[in-house]
Amino acid sequence: MKKRLLTVISLTMLVAGIVNAELNNPGGIGGVNSLRGASELEDTRPADDFKKYPRDQVLEADFVYQPPLIPHNIRGYEVSLNANKCLACHSWKNAPEMGATKVSVTHYVNRQDAVLADVSPRRYFCLQCHVPQASANPLIENDFERVDSLK
């Protein structure tokens, strides 16, 4: 009898919890409200249009030590453990011939400050820091101002 009563109480609490979850989370969206707005977790929204990458416009740095932006489209570029398309143009060997900016000397130094013959493994994946400059509106409004020395 006591065991049956505990089972009934447990089921009642479970149902109450489900009802409460539905009241506090209508539609089961998980309470997700992102920059894209509230959406069902299972829904897939249409992809945004491709961003335009203006080649003739070079954006200046906004803060000290900002990694330079990529002034061209990189669609189809492979940057993986086995290949790095960026280095085809930007390595010290190829940059003069390709008319590209050379990779910074800081990218050839490892954690022990030893200078390497090739790009350091910790600097090999360029797209972790460098992103294409695109004509895109900011996702949220902000009042960020450049450092005076960069104006």
Side-chain angles (χ1 to χ4, degrees):
M1 176 89 171
K2 190 175 185 179
K3 191 172 187 179
R4 183 176 285 177
L5 180 62
L6 287 175
T7 303
V8 170
I9 291 172
S10 296
L11 287 173
T12 305
M13 290 174 63
L14 176 65
V15 170
I18 292 170
V19 170
N20 187 33
E22 184 60 31
L23 287 173
N24 294 325
N25 186 15
I29 61 171
V32 176
N33 194 3
S34 70
L35 295 173
R36 296 179 180 139
S39 62
E40 295 285 339
L41 292 176
E42 296 81 18
D43 288 349
T44 302
R45 69 178 195 84
D48 293 334
D49 291 333
F50 289 121
K51 303 289 186 236
K52 304 290 186 239
Y53 298 98
R55 284 178 168 254
D56 56 342
Q57 173 190 2
V58 176
L59 300 177
E60 298 298 323
D62 286 326
F63 55 91
V64 179
Y65 299 119
Q66 174 183 336
L69 297 172
I70 302 170
H72 57 79
N73 193 341
I74 58 169
R75 181 170 293 282
Y77 278 35
E78 181 181 357
V79 179
S80 68
L81 194 58
N82 299 320
N84 185 326
K85 175 70 173 164
C86 302
L87 294 177
C89 296
H90 295 280
S91 68
W92 278 59
K93 176 184 171 187
N94 298 335
E97 180 183 332
M98 300 302 288
T101 304
K102 291 179 185 177
V103 174
S104 170
V105 293
T106 61
H107 289 49
Y108 289 86
V109 179
N110 68 11
R111 290 176 193 254
Q112 291 76 33
D113 290 330
V115 178
L116 307 173
D118 290 316
V119 173
S120 172
R122 68 184 181 141
R123 299 290 186 102
Y124 181 79
F125 296 99
C126 310
L127 303 178
Q128 287 181 324
C129 299
H130 302 278
V131 296
Q133 62 183 21
S135 54
N137 294 325
L139 293 174
I140 57 173
E141 292 297 320
N142 67 70
D143 56 0
F144 176 82
E145 292 185 23
R146 286 182 176 183
V147 175
D148 287 339
S149 63
L150 295 176
K151 289 183 181 178

